[in-house]
Amino acid sequence: MTLSPTSTAQEIIDRLRLLGSEENIAGMARFGIATEAALGLSNVELRRMSRQVKTDHARALELWRSGIREARILAAFTADPKALTLDEARRWAGDCNSWEVVDTLADLLVGARHDRALVPEFAADEREFVRRLAFAMIATAAVHLKTEPHSTFLAWLPLIEAHAADDRNFVKKAVNWALRQIGKRNAACHAPALALAEKLAASADPAARWTGRDAVRELSGRKVLWRLGLAV
């Protein structure tokens, strides 16, 4: 069966099931990926499939509703950012149960420019993967929104500080990721991000301290300083 832009959601799911691998599922579990609804396909293979089937928003919604890990990642790859509504984004966020699905979804939400509305909303949400999504969006935006003014990213630093004490693994790592990506964006963002990292590194809270120390280590590194033209 060859996939194409006219393939239905069910045909795609059938193909996913055919290509599934129990061995790969075991490997995914070692990386903290939720495998209860996984078939065992790599993201490289899913990217290849997305190029075959192209964008189809209605079909992406159907793929997501299947609950299958690979179908949901493929849904995020093939949904139309211009068609994705805020309500759809909120529903998808609430369905997330794995960090890698969250991080894939972050790309779509930033492409749809829903980060502006949903970053503060999702950061305030107590659900672990919804909150992770807020900071994954910040990190993704810092890398991909090349023409966005640096003031956008500096405005998110207080949000990072506010949630740096969340010690849940997948939130903590995303908060750290967001801080590092802002600091690496450009010279204008570097100093404020590094200042926050140093403040967090001196915190009495273990999660905040870990986030700060890790970010200080990277943002103070010669590689980053040279790339930003800050090395002396």
Side-chain angles (χ1 to χ4, degrees):
M1 174 173 51
T2 301
L3 296 178
S4 73
T6 62
S7 296
T8 67
Q10 188 57 56
E11 288 170 340
I12 293 171
I13 290 170
D14 289 344
R15 181 65 173 170
L16 292 173
R17 292 189 186 280
L18 182 65
L19 297 174
S21 165
E22 290 294 330
E23 182 179 355
N24 288 349
I25 291 174
M28 290 173 181
R30 290 194 290 271
F31 287 95
I33 295 171
T35 59
E36 296 84 355
L39 300 175
L41 279 75
S42 71
N43 282 12
V44 172
E45 178 66 11
L46 295 174
R47 277 289 186 192
R48 187 187 66 79
M49 293 176 69
S50 73
R51 291 191 291 270
Q52 292 177 328
V53 301
K54 308 297 183 184
T55 298
D56 185 320
H57 195 69
R59 186 184 60 201
L61 294 174
E62 192 175 347
L63 287 170
W64 186 275
R65 286 194 294 268
S66 73
I68 299 167
R69 170 209 172 254
E70 286 77 4
R72 284 186 166 175
I73 291 175
L74 200 55
F77 286 162
T78 61
D80 183 353
K82 295 178 181 178
L84 186 75
T85 68
L86 281 170
D87 284 344
E88 288 166 351
R90 291 183 178 108
R91 285 197 297 272
W92 285 22
D95 289 338
C96 287
N97 67 342
S98 186
W99 65 265
E100 48 133 21
V101 176
V102 166
D103 295 357
T104 304
L105 182 56
D107 285 339
L108 174 64
L109 299 191
V110 169
R113 291 314 318 265
H114 288 334
D115 52 294
R116 292 169 288 196
L118 296 180
V119 162
E121 178 182 325
F122 287 173
D125 197 300
E126 291 295 333
R127 290 173 291 180
E128 182 173 10
F129 290 110
V130 177
R131 182 169 290 172
R132 180 185 174 90
L133 183 52
F135 295 98
M137 278 193 280
I138 293 175
T140 299
V143 173
H144 295 296
L145 299 183
K146 304 295 187 183
T147 62
E148 189 74 12
H150 65 260
S151 57
T152 297
F153 303 97
L154 298 182
W156 280 333
L157 290 178
L159 200 62
I160 290 173
E161 182 175 5
H163 294 287
D166 191 324
D167 64 356
R168 291 175 294 180
N169 185 52
F170 295 116
V171 175
K172 179 175 72 172
K173 289 185 175 181
V175 170
N176 170 266
W177 180 26
L179 179 56
R180 289 185 292 107
Q181 292 305 132
I182 290 175
K184 292 188 293 182
R185 178 176 171 82
N186 55 38
C189 290
H190 180 267
L194 180 57
L196 176 55
E198 290 171 340
K199 180 179 180 181
L200 295 176
S203 173
D205 181 85
R209 189 166 60 249
W210 175 85
T211 289
R213 287 178 176 176
D214 186 73
V216 166
R217 183 164 47 251
E218 182 166 8
L219 297 180
S220 299
R222 181 160 293 274
K223 181 178 179 182
V224 169
L225 295 177
W226 271 108
R227 187 175 66 78
L228 297 179
L230 299 172
V232 294

